[in-house]
Amino acid sequence: MSENERIALLTGGTDVKPTTKIRSAFEYWLLIPALCRGDRAVRERMDIPLQQAVTRTRVASGWAWACTLAAIAANVLPSHAMPTAWTRLTLFAQVGLWTCTTLAALAFGGAAAYGFLRLFTLVSHNLTTTLFKVRGQRLRLLNVLASCQTFVVAYAAGAVLEPRSPVVAWVWCVGVSVYLAWVLARSYAVIFHSSFRQAVRLVLGGFLISAFVLAVGAVAVGAALGVIALVVILLIRPAIHTRP
């Protein structure tokens, strides 16, 4: 028995076919019409093996970040002029600079989004199982969160619509959020072997507590980096002033 088959057996998966990166890229967009018909598509992908889940999560994180960048660009670029230094460049140089900047933003942002999702999955699973006294599979949670990244497309559409019709955009985003909460609650009920009512509490409580813990951790890391930077400045300052 292969490693993927053992993981699928332990997590309850049956007849899971391997997914390549190309198939994962198309799957992200194929999930959009599937989610319009209910949450069955999310639950069907809940027991994807670990190796396949990692590839799928990376691709989904990349697409989610790309949609976020596209929404930001659609709102910012029309109302902000290009920097003066850029306008002095030739057309070929401008295209090359924009291409390099976009590719770098996609690469670093996609990697950061994937890392944050893995960290959030780890923290959320541990806190939810510990604080709420439930049992659940972390791999299933990762697969569900990877599937739910498809909702970023809907939020990006709302962000693009907001400057033109704020009321419609806010109603759209609230409706998408309610539907996302329902999908997560239905999925949490399966992941943590609970009722739908308890799953709603797990979704709300788990997300709030995980966000608080990660925010506190980010503040602590930022404070530590600030102290290190201050120490470095204090150490190099005498050398700068004594330089002839």
Side-chain angles (χ1 to χ4, degrees), residues 77-92:
L77 293 181
S79 58
H80 289 75
M82 290 180 60
T84 305
W86 286 31
T87 57
R88 295 174 181 174
L89 300 175
T90 63
L91 178 61
F92 180 78

Side-chain angles (χ1 to χ4, degrees), residues 6 18-19 29 36 59 69 85 98 132 144 162 189 194 205 219 241:
R6 286 199 298 271
T19 300
W29 298 101
C36 293
V59 174
L69 275 184
W98 274 111
F132 295 96
V144 167
E162 196 274 336
S194 60
V219 172
H241 285 284

Side-chain angles (χ1 to χ4, degrees), residues 97-237:
L97 188 58
W98 274 111
T99 302
C100 293
T101 303
T102 302
L103 292 177
L106 289 174
F108 288 107
Y114 169 74
F116 177 79
L117 183 64
R118 293 297 301 267
L119 177 62
F120 183 85
T121 303
L122 175 63
V123 172
S124 180
H125 177 267
N126 290 337
L127 291 176
T128 302
T129 54
T130 302
L131 298 178
F132 295 96
K133 307 300 181 183
V134 293
R135 57 186 180 89
Q137 294 81 13
R138 188 190 306 168
L139 179 57
R140 282 184 166 184
L141 180 60
L142 176 64
N143 286 325
V144 167
L145 294 180
S147 297
C148 288
Q149 287 192 94
T150 307
F151 283 90
V152 174
V153 178
Y155 285 113
V160 173
L161 185 62
E162 196 274 336
R164 299 158 183 82
S165 182
V167 176
V168 175
W170 279 104
V171 171
W172 168 260
C173 289
V174 170
V176 171
S177 299
V178 172
Y179 183 60
L180 173 59
W182 177 77
V183 171
L184 286 173
R186 292 261 297 177
S187 302
Y188 269 52
V190 179
I191 295 172
F192 296 103
H193 311 284
S194 60
S195 62
F196 180 78
R197 181 177 298 181
Q198 185 182 10
V200 173
R201 185 166 60 93
L202 294 177
V203 171
L204 297 177
F207 268 75
L208 289 176
I209 295 173
S210 301
F212 175 77
V213 170
L214 291 175
V216 171
V219 172
V221 172
L225 292 177
V227 172
I228 295 174
L230 179 61
V231 172
V232 172
I233 291 173
L234 292 176
L235 291 176
I236 65 175
R237 184 178 179 183

